[in-house]
Amino acid sequence: MGSEAPNTTVALPCPDDVPFSETYFAEMSTGEVAALAVGAVVTVANVILFLESTWFIVQHFFEKKTKVLSIWMICLPTVFAVTALIAVCIPRSALLSDLVAAIYLSRCIQMFLFLLIHYHGGEQALIDHMSGETINLRSPPVACCCVCCPKIAVNEKNLFRIKMSVLQFAIARPILVFLAAVLWTDGKYVKGKMRPNQASLYISVLTGVSTLVAMYGLILVFRASRKHLKVFNIVPKFICMQLVLVVSGLQGVVFNTLANNNLPPCTQVLSSAARGNVWNHLIIIVEMFLLALLARRFYRRIDGSLIIADVDVMCPEDKDKAQKNENSSLNNETNISKYTSSGKELEESIHYM
């Protein structure tokens, strides 16, 4: 009597390479097709929101610079949603899609700094408006625990230094992205593999340092001017950009960590890392739609076309100080600068004899 072979199941090995789109679509399950369809619909809705908000801004904002800067910012969730959808439909393009979105994010960090300055009426207007105030260098994400950090005055020299800390990211990020793409074509760059012999480790470290420095400079200006720009809803606008940065960075790290533990499990055509990338980008599509709604709420406003001289943004304490300074100026026979109600700075010297 022959012995029967034991009933064992052999686990299929996980694929090493990401498949082409034809193979990927041929092996998709019904649930995956439904998830992809939902992601496509949500992305189209995101694009429609962006186009509608852009049309509103073009029609109602009279300052050209305000139009350009506002459109750059409201397009941020849309760019991430579109690139995420491309990465879901073509898994092999995930790295390039993420790199494009990262470059756009670096530009938006720079644009938000320009928006802060523009709301004040320009660099010189910002310095004049915040004359006598200080910026606390003890700020996140770099120096939040450094109690020895001093406070610096708001002047042209310090503002230039802060601007350079932000602008370096707009220069360094595209260079690092280009380097990563070149190394990826030669098989030297694998996203998520943080090993000493992998270029992704060093590029990720440099990117992280550059990002922290840029956000530190941006937060310094934001924290110093948020009380003056409260009427422009600058806090929720800043939060919108911060959430995009957190979602795009932290969420990817989480999925890379899960992939190292074979979560989600690999299939016949997708490895754990590739499946994690797909689900990560599907979640990003939904998150970016919610952030697009939030951005639309705070950028699609008539008062968004104004600058700080157009509205009364002074708190009672500042008004008292301004009144005292005005009285003192009159007594000492000095000049007074006034602004017209239209929002255009009109510096006319009125001499009192």
Side-chain angles (χ1 to χ4, degrees):
M1 230 181 126
S3 60
E4 295 182 358
N7 187 14
T8 59
T9 58
V10 179
L12 295 176
C14 293
D16 295 328
D17 298 328
V18 182
F20 290 99
S21 56
E22 294 85 356
T23 306
Y24 170 62
F25 279 107
E27 298 294 333
M28 287 182 68
S29 64
T30 304
E32 291 171 338
V33 172
L36 177 58
V38 171
V41 172
V42 173
T43 302
V44 171
N46 197 326
V47 173
I48 293 174
L49 281 178
F50 165 70
L51 294 176
E52 190 272 338
S53 298
T54 300
W55 177 255
F56 179 89
I57 289 173
V58 171
Q59 292 296 314
H60 294 88
F61 286 18
F62 55 83
E63 285 281 347
K64 181 180 179 181
K65 194 169 186 179
T66 309
K67 292 180 183 180
V68 174
L69 294 175
S70 299
I71 291 173
W72 266 93
M73 298 309 302
I74 63 172
C75 189
L76 181 58
T78 306
V79 168
F80 268 82
V82 172
T83 54
L85 181 63
I86 294 174
V88 171
C89 295
I90 309 175
R92 293 176 70 94
S93 69
L95 176 61
L96 294 178
S97 299
D98 290 343
L99 295 181
V100 171
I103 291 178
Y104 192 87
L105 177 60
S106 67
R107 283 289 291 167
C108 282
I109 292 176
Q110 177 189 5
M111 291 298 174
F112 192 80
L113 174 64
F114 292 161
L115 188 64
L116 287 173
I117 296 174
H118 175 67
Y119 279 154
H120 280 279
E123 292 186 21
Q124 189 58 48
L126 183 151
I127 295 172
D128 294 340
H129 186 76
M130 299 178 65
S131 178
E133 299 186 20
T134 58
I135 297 178
N136 190 359
L137 294 182
R138 186 185 176 186
S139 299
V142 175
C144 55
C145 299
C146 298
V147 295
C148 58
C149 287
K151 294 182 180 180
I152 60 175
V154 181
N155 53 42
E156 186 175 355
K157 183 178 180 180
N158 290 330
L159 182 60
F160 175 78
R161 291 174 177 175
I162 293 174
K163 281 181 59 180
M164 288 301 102
S165 69
V166 178
L167 295 181
Q168 59 81 25
F169 184 59
I171 298 174
R173 184 58 172 155
I175 294 176
L176 292 173
V177 166
F178 175 76
L179 181 61
V182 171
L183 294 174
W184 173 70
T185 59
D186 197 36
K188 301 293 191 303
Y189 181 90
V190 180
K191 183 181 177 181
K193 287 191 176 182
M194 302 298 179
R195 299 175 183 174
N197 61 343
Q198 287 288 337
S200 58
L201 173 62
Y202 307 102
I203 292 179
S204 298
V205 170
L206 292 175
T207 300
V209 172
S210 180
T211 304
L212 289 176
V213 172
M215 291 307 302
Y216 178 65
L218 184 62
I219 289 174
L220 287 180
V221 179
F222 166 73
R223 296 182 69 178
S225 59
R226 61 184 174 183
K227 69 175 182 179
H228 303 291
L229 302 180
K230 185 177 181 181
V231 70
F232 299 101
N233 295 299
I234 202 65
V235 174
K237 290 177 181 178
F238 182 72
I239 291 175
C240 289
M241 188 191 64
Q242 285 281 81
L243 288 176
V244 174
L245 180 62
V246 171
V247 167
S248 62
L250 183 60
Q251 193 167 283
V253 174
V254 172
F255 274 94
N256 287 334
T257 304
L258 293 176
N260 293 331
N261 296 294
N262 199 30
L263 292 173
C266 63
T267 61
Q268 294 182 0
V269 294
L270 290 178
S271 63
S272 295
R275 286 195 70 194
N277 263 333
V278 170
W279 286 106
N280 177 35
H281 288 102
L282 282 173
I283 296 173
I284 285 178
I285 289 174
V286 178
E287 292 169 337
M288 291 303 138
F289 177 73
L290 299 177
L291 290 177
L293 291 175
L294 189 63
R296 179 183 182 275
R297 168 70 177 80
F298 294 107
Y299 280 97
R300 190 186 178 279
R301 298 170 61 94
I302 297 295
D303 57 12
S305 62
L306 306 176
I307 59 175
I308 200 169
D310 297 324
V311 292
D312 183 12
V313 296
M314 297 181 69
C315 59
E317 294 80 2
D318 293 335
K319 290 181 180 179
D320 293 339
K321 292 179 181 179
Q323 185 63 36
K324 291 179 181 179
N325 292 335
E326 182 179 355
N327 294 336
S328 176
S329 299
L330 289 172
N331 294 332
N332 294 325
E333 300 180 358
T334 57
N335 298 329
I336 301 175
S337 296
K338 293 186 178 181
Y339 293 95
T340 62
S341 59
S342 65
K344 305 294 183 181
E345 292 186 4
L346 183 61
E347 299 182 352
E348 297 179 346
S349 299
I350 303 175
H351 298 281
Y352 293 89
M353 301 301 295

